[in-house]
């Protein structure tokens, strides 16, 4: 079974630039999550999708972050404009309806904002 | 919302000794408690999980205990090996909130040969 795919693996940008991350969940997984993991901390949920609908985006900084999952499969997370404090690893995770509560993570995108 | 505290933040043990990591959670409705292991530069990997209707679960050298009354759960690693060196995260979720995981701050475990 293929895992959660994310790209790019690394991204370096200057502050005020924009950046986008892509995630393809495990096939058939209806629930998709984006987490932000700042160095030395645990992952923090940014947004949760159920199919193509947003379930929870209460911790998403909506003035600069946006995310979509238009067809209920892959998803894109965008930051515009980026700030220095956005430097982190952005992890995508997915969960299947038949798989109980288990979340499966992608390898993440490491973002450095200079 | 849910808040998960994890201790200690770093743990150094001699190979063969046991390691214990403790977590507390705030939301009594949380009913699922996984533990993830994250090696440097890699994705978090689920190593063991426990549901609120169970008090203890074992998988070879790893065990997790849950005390619902006190709202805390612990990870126990016995006979530690150098490959156990990693950062470990506890988490909590509840099925009524979309099963979103709230993570602890992590414990960096170093197993010295």
């Amino acid at each position: 079974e293929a895992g959660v795919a994310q790209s790019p693996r690394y991204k370096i940008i200057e502050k005020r630039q924009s950046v986008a991350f892509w995630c393809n969940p495990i096939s058939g997984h209806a629930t998709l999550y984006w987490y932000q993991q700042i160095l030395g901390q645990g992952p923090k949920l940014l947004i949760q999708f159920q199919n193509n609908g947003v379930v929870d985006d209460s911790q998403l900084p909506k003035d600069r972050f946006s995310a979509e999952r238009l067809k209920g499969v892959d998803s894109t997370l965008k930051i515009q404009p980026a700030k220095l404090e956005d430097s982190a690893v952005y992890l995508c995770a997915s969960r299947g309806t038949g798989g109980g509560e288990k979340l499966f993570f992608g390898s993440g995108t490491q973002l450095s904002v200079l | 919302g849910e808040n998960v505290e994890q201790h200690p933040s770093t743990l150094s043990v001699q190979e063969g000794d046991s390691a214990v990591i403790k977590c507390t959670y705030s939301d009594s409705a949380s009913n699922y408690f996984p533990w993830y292991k994250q090696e440097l530069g890699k994705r978090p990997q689920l190593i063991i999980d426990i549901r609120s209707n169970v008090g203890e679960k074992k998988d070879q050298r790893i065990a997790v205990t849950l005390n619902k009354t006190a709202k805390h759960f612990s990870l126990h690693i016995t006979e530690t090996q150098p490959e156990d060196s990693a950062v470990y995260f506890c988490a909590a979720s509840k099925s009524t909130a979309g099963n979103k995981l709230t993570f602890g701050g992590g414990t960096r475990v170093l197993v010295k040969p």
Side-chain angles (χ1 to χ4, degrees), chain B residues 7-113:
Chain B
H7 299 281
S9 57
T10 59
L11 181 59
S12 182
V13 297
Q14 207 64 39
E15 183 178 358
D17 288 350
S18 295
V20 181
I21 304 170
K22 298 182 179 181
C23 290
T24 59
Y25 60 99
S26 61
D27 190 342
S28 57
S30 289
N31 56 5
Y32 175 65
F33 307 92
W35 286 87
Y36 284 83
K37 175 183 180 182
Q38 188 175 32
E39 296 176 15
L40 189 62
K42 296 191 175 181
R43 73 187 74 192
Q45 296 270 20
L46 179 68
I47 56 172
I48 195 168
D49 56 10
I50 191 168
R51 291 172 180 78
S52 57
N53 58 347
V54 175
E56 183 175 357
K57 183 177 179 180
K58 273 187 177 182
D59 183 3
Q60 298 181 359
R61 297 186 296 108
I62 293 173
V64 58
T65 58
L66 171 65
N67 183 327
K68 284 195 302 181
T69 304
K71 290 189 283 187
H72 68 69
F73 55 114
S74 301
L75 178 72
H76 304 252
I77 307 174
T78 59
E79 300 172 22
T80 53
Q81 300 168 5
E83 53 263 37
D84 295 329
S85 296
V87 179
Y88 292 80
F89 292 98
C90 63
S93 72
K94 57 185 180 183
S95 51
T96 55
N99 290 301
K100 62 181 181 184
L101 289 176
T102 300
F103 285 84
T107 297
R108 182 173 299 277
V109 174
L110 175 63
V111 180
K112 294 181 287 187

Side-chain angles (χ1 to χ4, degrees), chain A residues 1 7 15 25 34 41-42 50 52 57 74 81 87 92 94 99:
Chain A
E1 177 183 82
S7 67
K15 60 183 179 183
W34 282 102
Q41 299 180 18
Q50 179 74 20
N52 61 351
D57 62 357
D74 55 350
S87 294
C92 179
S94 70

